[in-house]
Amino acid sequence: MTLPGIPLLLQSIVSGILIGGVYGLVAIGLTLIFGVMKIINFAHGSFMMLGMFTTYWLYVLLGIDPYLSLLLTIPLLFLFGLLVERFLIDKILDAPEHNQLLLTLGISLVIENLALFLWSPNFRTIDVSYANKATTLGPVMISFPKVVAFVFAIFLTTVLYYFLKNTDLGKAIRAASEEKEGALTVGINLKKIYYIAFGIGTACVGAAGTVAAPFFYVSPQVGGVFVITAFVVVVLGGMGNFLGALIGGLIIGLAESVGAAIIPGQLKQFIIYFIFILVLLFKPAGLFGKANA
Amino acid sequence: MFLLKVNNIDVFYGDAQVLHQVSLTVREKEIITIVGVNGAGKSTLLKTIGGILKAANGEIWFMDDRIDLLPSHQIVDKGLIRIPEGRKIFPTMTVLENLELGSYLPKAKVKRSESLEKVFDLFPVLKDREKQSSGTLSGGEQQMLAIGRGLMSLPKLLMLDEPSLGLAPLLVKQIFNTVREINVQGTTILLVEQNVFNALDMAAEGYVLENGRIVLEGKSQDLLTDEYIKEAYLGV
Ligand SMILES: Nc1ncnc2c1ncn2[C@@H]1O[C@H](COP(=O)(O)OP(=O)(O)OP(=O)(O)O)[C@@H](O)[C@H]1O
Ligand SMILES: [Mg+2]
């Protein structure tokens, strides 16, 4: 272990918080789907990859700015998630958990292998002018695309929070996640709530992919990098807890980044799993309990 | 004119048959009760009428429509509302949010503020606790909320599944009075109860369900004086 100097520490804190916002957004999609449907979506990472590739190709083929492409990736991924739920996930909602696991894992394998086949395993980057743009604040360098990603993640989370809190459809989604029979008795169509929630979850992770694309590599297997982290975040924040996922994302981002400054080399993933195990041992319902936001 | 007609339904959980050839009729403006011991199949019957379980055989008619093949949200939309056993309120949501969700479907939503006023008239305590998360209400208040939420859906027929379950005698009385009041205001009631005396006392007609079969039906006064009922259900 090495003790980092103050500047390095500050730098890692800032970087950690910024990437933590993206982790939060990925995790929010996952936790929303889990909260409503009690399904662990192992295809989440492949959805993120689709978001990234959509942005990549829109940029390469049509010259559409990555941030502008959000206007397309969000509705496209929403629709994609909706269809996946409607025609695949819907069939196994009452099936035993291992069948659900096999299906979502299977979906991710199909999507990733299709991506490998179509686009090769190469790492690609989006060479927008602002990809490496940064400002310095004292000893700390602040990357422009990471700030945008962070701000956007917070913004989307806020919009979603407002939607769940204040609209009838949002309330119906919360109702369905709390009490299914109660939801049925007031006339909520659970099948519809499921595909909408799954669509929203997919749109969230797709949007996270889009805003990460300017500063991260794009490849068929990139989703796994984020999603393993997101699983930890979801457990940390409390399964199904919306705000818990955002705060959990920030905590994991910080822990990972500061940990990397303290512990050398490849050990930084160790920090995340260490936190994961601690949470499972001592606070299995997550830091913020099981309650829905 | 009948409002609800159940014709010879059979209902299964997997391979286990729980309802056998059950039939019943509910006429407009009446209070009808179904009584039976634990496990008789009362909740199963109400769930089947409400469309969250499906009958393997038989038919269910609500007014002029056959409803046994419809999804539950379409049945709710027709004004056939079930208040489930154990209340099934949304615990982390506020009292007001729970009530608002009662008027989730478009027809009920149009009348939301009007219905809210009626519910608050019936249960002033809900008005006082409007902003409170409903999981923190007392058992009696939760039952009132469940009934209030049901009323928000503009029921033509209100099915209540053991509304007095787990309540103190004074509250039981209050809940029964409320049910009567709702009926007086024009809503037809199908009441499932284990509180056999109170239920029969209030209802026009009763059905006795045993092991998934209707074993007795008739005018409430007749049932109340029936020797078998007296012995098996009223303990006299
Ligand atoms: N989901 C289920 N799966 C399998 N069997 C069930 C299920 N729900 C109920 N049963 C069985 O069906 C029978 C009828 O149950 P039901 O809940 O309809 O009875 P009930 O008359 O409402 O009883 P209670 O007064 O205790 O509420 C019981 O034997 C019960 O064990
Ligand atoms: Mg019951």
Side-chain angles (χ1 to χ4, degrees):
Chain A
M1 201 187 275
T2 49
L3 274 187
I6 296 294
L8 180 57
L9 200 61
L10 283 176
Q11 178 68 58
S12 58
I13 288 174
V14 170
S15 304
I17 289 177
L18 292 181
I19 195 72
V22 178
Y23 290 163
L25 189 54
V26 176
I28 276 165
L30 204 56
T31 215
L32 184 71
I33 290 170
F34 178 81
V36 176
M37 309 172 66
K38 308 293 174 264
I39 285 247
I40 298 172
N41 179 25
F42 287 97
H44 209 58
S46 63
F47 296 164
M48 180 170 187
M49 179 270 289
L50 287 181
M52 291 176 106
F53 264 107
T54 308
T55 300
Y56 176 83
W57 288 117
L58 285 172
Y59 175 74
V60 170
L61 300 177
L62 301 173
I64 295 177
D65 180 85
Y67 299 134
L68 199 63
S69 77
L70 279 171
L71 294 175
L72 283 166
T73 51
I74 291 178
L76 279 177
L77 269 288
F78 174 81
L79 196 67
F80 182 74
L82 188 153
L83 294 174
V84 166
E85 200 291 324
R86 184 93 173 61
F87 294 105
L88 297 171
I89 310 281
D90 178 63
K91 312 285 182 248
I92 47 89
L93 280 177
D94 297 323
E97 262 167 41
H98 58 268
N99 289 2
Q100 303 178 340
L101 183 149
L102 282 177
L103 179 66
T104 59
L105 211 56
I107 293 172
S108 84
L109 285 176
V110 169
I111 294 176
E112 285 184 15
N113 283 293
L114 210 60
L116 278 170
F117 172 71
L118 290 172
W119 304 319
S120 83
N122 292 348
F123 286 25
R124 303 157 190 260
T125 51
I126 297 185
D127 56 349
V128 277
S129 58
Y130 48 74
N132 295 313
K133 203 171 132 189
T135 46
T136 48
L137 201 76
V140 179
M141 197 180 80
I142 300 175
S143 145
F144 171 75
K146 284 187 183 170
V147 169
V148 174
F150 175 80
V151 170
F152 178 78
I154 301 292
F155 168 75
L156 196 60
T157 307
T158 312
V159 169
L160 208 51
Y161 184 75
Y162 178 88
F163 164 76
L164 290 171
K165 203 86 190 162
N166 293 308
T167 67
D168 270 20
L169 184 57
K171 286 176 193 173
I173 292 175
R174 282 158 61 211
S177 76
E178 280 192 12
E179 174 48 73
K180 302 230 180 307
E181 196 187 337
L184 288 169
T185 64
V186 300
I188 291 170
N189 179 353
L190 281 185
K191 279 189 181 292
K192 181 174 145 194
I193 294 297
Y194 289 164
Y195 61 68
I196 289 176
F198 203 88
I200 293 174
T202 307
C204 281
V205 73
T210 294
V211 293
F215 64 83
F216 216 82
Y217 64 88
V218 179
S219 92
Q221 268 142 355
V222 62
V225 179
F226 285 89
V227 163
I228 297 289
T229 309
F231 279 123
V232 180
V233 169
V234 166
V235 172
L236 183 69
M239 308 275 282
N241 187 324
F242 189 80
L243 286 185
L246 180 66
I247 299 167
L250 297 178
I251 293 174
I252 291 294
L254 261 178
E256 181 190 68
S257 177
V258 173
I262 298 174
I263 301 173
Q266 288 306 310
L267 278 173
K268 78 171 190 181
Q269 283 291 331
F270 168 79
I271 307 260
I272 295 177
Y273 298 124
F274 186 62
I275 295 176
F276 188 50
I277 289 165
L278 283 185
V279 172
L280 287 180
L281 281 178
F282 297 109
K283 232 154 171 350
L287 290 183
F288 312 100
K290 213 170 179 125
N292 277 69
Chain B
M1 242 301 273
F2 76 85
L3 196 56
L4 176 74
K5 207 174 185 77
V6 177
N7 286 337
N8 294 312
I9 58 167
D10 291 326
V11 178
F12 294 77
Y13 289 110
D15 290 335
Q17 184 164 5
V18 171
L19 294 183
H20 305 260
Q21 296 286 300
V22 170
S23 297
L24 66 90
T25 304
V26 180
R27 273 172 292 273
E28 229 165 327
K29 309 290 182 211
E30 278 184 340
I31 299 180
I32 299 296
T33 188
I34 302 165
V35 297
V37 297
N38 293 115
K42 306 178 298 296
S43 299
T44 303
L45 176 54
L46 291 199
K47 284 180 187 168
T48 310
I49 298 171
I52 73 171
L53 293 174
K54 295 295 166 195
N57 302 301
E59 293 176 1
I60 305 173
W61 291 77
F62 185 60
M63 298 189 290
D64 296 326
D65 304 316
R66 186 170 169 188
I67 58 165
D68 52 288
L69 301 171
L70 297 180
S72 58
H73 58 101
Q74 286 182 22
I75 295 176
V76 170
D77 196 46
K78 290 182 185 300
L80 179 44
I81 310 301
R82 183 177 63 101
I83 295 170
E85 180 178 332
R87 294 134 201 172
K88 313 286 175 178
I89 55 171
F90 309 118
T92 76
M93 303 176 82
T94 66
V95 167
L96 185 61
E97 285 176 321
N98 268 269
L99 292 173
E100 284 171 349
L101 278 165
S103 56
Y104 173 71
L105 292 176
K107 266 188 243 163
K109 192 172 173 177
V110 176
K111 299 242 168 104
R112 182 175 285 174
S113 51
E114 210 176 304
S115 310
L116 257 184
E117 227 168 276
K118 277 190 197 155
V119 169
F120 286 151
D121 269 352
L122 204 57
F123 302 115
V125 64
L126 294 183
K127 172 86 185 149
D128 301 336
R129 315 218 175 251
E130 203 176 54
K131 298 268 177 329
Q132 193 169 322
S133 73
S134 59
T136 63
L137 296 177
S138 73
E141 289 163 348
Q142 291 193 9
Q143 187 60 56
M144 294 178 205
L145 179 58
I147 296 176
R149 188 180 66 183
L151 293 174
M152 295 294 295
S153 312
L154 304 179
K156 292 193 175 79
L157 171 60
L158 192 62
M159 303 191 284
L160 298 104
D161 195 345
E162 300 203 41
S164 72
L165 193 70
L167 301 184
L170 204 64
L171 272 169
V172 172
K173 210 172 148 203
Q174 194 190 339
I175 293 289
F176 272 92
N177 283 339
T178 311
V179 171
R180 204 185 310 252
E181 169 78 21
I182 293 167
N183 176 249
V184 168
Q185 290 176 8
T187 307
T188 311
I189 305 282
L190 179 56
L191 174 67
V192 158
E193 264 299 337
Q194 289 195 53
N195 203 323
V196 177
F197 179 77
N198 279 322
L200 284 175
D201 188 41
M202 182 166 76
E205 283 172 40
Y207 290 82
V208 180
L209 195 60
E210 276 180 15
N211 298 317
R213 291 186 169 82
I214 303 280
V215 294
L216 213 56
E217 59 180 280
K219 297 260 173 263
S220 294
Q221 302 100 300
D222 300 341
L223 292 179
L224 276 169
T225 53
D226 184 279
E227 286 306 320
Y228 175 68
I229 297 278
K230 276 191 185 166
E231 195 178 318
Y233 290 91
L234 299 173
V236 289

